Amino acid sequence: MQTQSMKLLPFKVIGLSVLFICGILLLSFTALATYVHYEHGSTSLDLLRPQSLILSNVNVLSMEDNSVKENHTVIVREGVITAVQPANAPLPQGLTEVDGQGGFVMPGLIDLHVHVLDRSYAKSALAAGVTTLRNMGGYDYQLKWREELNRGEWFGSRLILSSPIFNSVEQGDPLSHFRVNDPQIARQAVRDYINQGYDFIKVYEGLHADVYQAVLDEAKHLGVSVAGHPSYELMAENLQAHGALASFEHVEEVFDGFLGQQQNPQKVQEAADFLREQQVPLIPTLAVNQELTLLSQQKQTYLNRQDLAAINPFVRLVYEETSFKRWLGAAPALADYNQQVDDYLNAITLTLYEQGVTLGLGSDAGALVDVPGPATVREALLMVKAGIPAYEVLKSATVNAAAVIKQDKALGKIAPGFKADMLLLADNPLTFPQTLARPQMVIQGGKTFNEHDLRMLRAEGHQHSGGLVSATRHLLYLIFA
């Protein structure tokens, strides 16, 4: 019996050791989860910033039309523009005057298609003059970030948040999509997500026709927007149903959904007719297509030139094992095909614009290498390079974008009654759009960020949540979603 007990002892020790290790891991996870729950954003910038000022000695591109009002003054009270007047007009008393030194002022940029995967992304965007971001793939922790911004705990672009992405069970990504094949469950999910605080619903092409239609119907009943990809299945059954979309995401979806991945001018015309007649804006997202093309062609050389330190470390790890690996391993034939498609997507975008389709600027930043802000400016320059007039490109990131997010009475123009979201640029962006890459000053809701502040914001754009914290945050989302 003693021998038998001695034989069992190692197994007891192993069992106790396993329980001990599991207990330590559980306690560690609980501690980390508690930290993630209570941690919040911060900034090294001064949070106390007046929201009233006189911006003098500026040339104003109001975006009410394509004219520039030379030598004007913009007056702001409590974050709202109250007057845009010639320099010789009387000035109100008691407001701080900021000398624009003959620069050009325009509305703050709005990027309609980004993935905000860290607080730092909103900081990078604001530093680049993007005062509003529409996030196109929702997670509950982004709701927390938005509340922190609204409370003024740190500085970043204003956040408009989509729900988690609706997709089919078969095609959806279990780590990031809400996968659903039942129309009634989809309807309930629309209600739940809006009640949780998301601003609108994001849809993907894999959704079955009846589910997609249910989402559109429920959103209409609630008075909220739906934006995203078309449902290929519903396109075949009822293309016109997509007229309910607030925006049609990606010119690539025109190439895939309308053209069947073939160059077909007649189908481009059909897409143009549909989008124009249904008044559905197109968000081209040329920047991300260029990224994957260059990555597939130049491989590691391309990555070495990018600011990878701007990417959240957990996100970067995921991308290194997925999308980066995919395009780094692309064969020459695939790289050549990517270039052909990229060229054609640019041509389609120009054709759709020429056919009267409304364009909204969206970069898809956060989906590959680039982050919001720098990618937003690159998207604008790519649209100009594609042949779209600079004024129309700026309109796509201001007036048109504000309409998409239903804030066209508050954002997108420099005019009395509009929020004081403005960029001060060294040159006229209508004639030198590259000036967008380096704003001299950014004003958001009347709060002024000078060049020193913008440098600090760019630095904070490289200060992310740690990889373990980010992974835990997302794990908690998956557990409790």
Side-chain angles (χ1 to χ4, degrees), residues 8 32 95 108 116 201 224 265 278 339 413 420 434:
L8 292 175
L32 190 56
L95 297 183
V116 182
I201 303 299
V224 298
Q278 296 293 327
Q339 184 63 66
K413 295 180 182 179
Q434 291 84 353

Side-chain angles (χ1 to χ4, degrees), residues 469-480:
V469 168
S470 299
T472 302
R473 176 189 294 138
H474 197 72
L475 180 60
L476 291 171
Y477 160 76
L478 294 174
I479 293 172
F480 297 108

